[in-house]
Amino acid sequence: MALPYRVSGTLTKSAGLAAAIAKQSKILSFKPAKKIEFSFDPFRERTVSLRCILSLFNQERVRDTNPNCAVKTTVVCDRSEPTINITLASGHKILFKTQYLETVEILKKFNELVSSQAEAAESSSTPAKGAKTTKQGKRRT
């Protein structure tokens, strides 16, 4: 008696690391952020992911999401750990210690913690799809 044939795994291949970074970078939004500070020692190992994130955050498209958000880069020479300090408009602070994180992981967490707040604020302020609106001055009967 033959065993039933079962397919395991995915049916399609992953698009790869570059596609994952591109997908996450399209979602980036600085709207809920007031200030973002990058701090790293260029002579320390494992700063590549932070420097890659820094280049993604300095794109004009991303910076235009909130022109009032200050992005500051501090290059230190004291063997300190690479970090990203984010101050939100609500007063909360978020600290990313990026020494052992990959670029995709940092982007996913940033989108989860910061960019998602911008989407939640936008969705609550827009009217529901299919809601009936009338022109000003005309009554609908």
Side-chain angles (χ1 to χ4, degrees), residues 40-91:
F40 67 97
D41 183 0
F43 301 113
R44 188 178 172 119
E45 293 181 11
R46 300 182 187 249
T47 60
V48 176
S49 62
L50 180 104
R51 290 164 52 173
C52 183
I53 292 292
L54 182 61
S55 68
L56 290 172
F57 280 18
N58 278 325
Q59 291 177 354
E60 188 175 341
R61 179 191 59 79
V62 177
R63 300 278 308 258
D64 286 343
T65 59
N66 185 0
N68 296 327
C69 179
V71 178
K72 181 180 176 185
T73 305
T74 305
V75 179
V76 294
C77 189
D78 58 1
R79 295 290 194 202
S80 62
E81 184 175 9
T83 59
I84 304 172
N85 290 316
I86 303 165
T87 305
L88 300 176
S90 63

Side-chain angles (χ1 to χ4, degrees), residues 86-116:
I86 303 165
T87 305
L88 300 176
S90 63
H92 292 86
K93 293 186 178 185
I94 300 172
L95 174 66
F96 284 99
K97 293 183 178 181
T98 63
Q99 183 173 3
Y100 296 108
L101 296 176
E102 294 295 324
T103 305
V104 176
E105 295 172 329
I106 299 169
L107 282 172
K108 284 182 180 178
K109 279 297 176 186
F110 183 86
N111 287 331
E112 180 183 320
L113 297 172
V114 181
S115 298
S116 64

Side-chain angles (χ1 to χ4, degrees), residues 13-44:
K13 288 186 177 182
S14 171
L17 183 64
I21 291 173
K23 179 183 175 184
Q24 292 296 322
S25 66
K26 288 179 184 177
I27 310 171
L28 284 175
S29 176
F30 287 170
K31 287 184 183 177
K34 188 190 316 184
K35 186 178 187 181
I36 301 175
E37 297 179 54
F38 294 90
S39 176
F40 67 97
D41 183 0
F43 301 113
R44 188 178 172 119

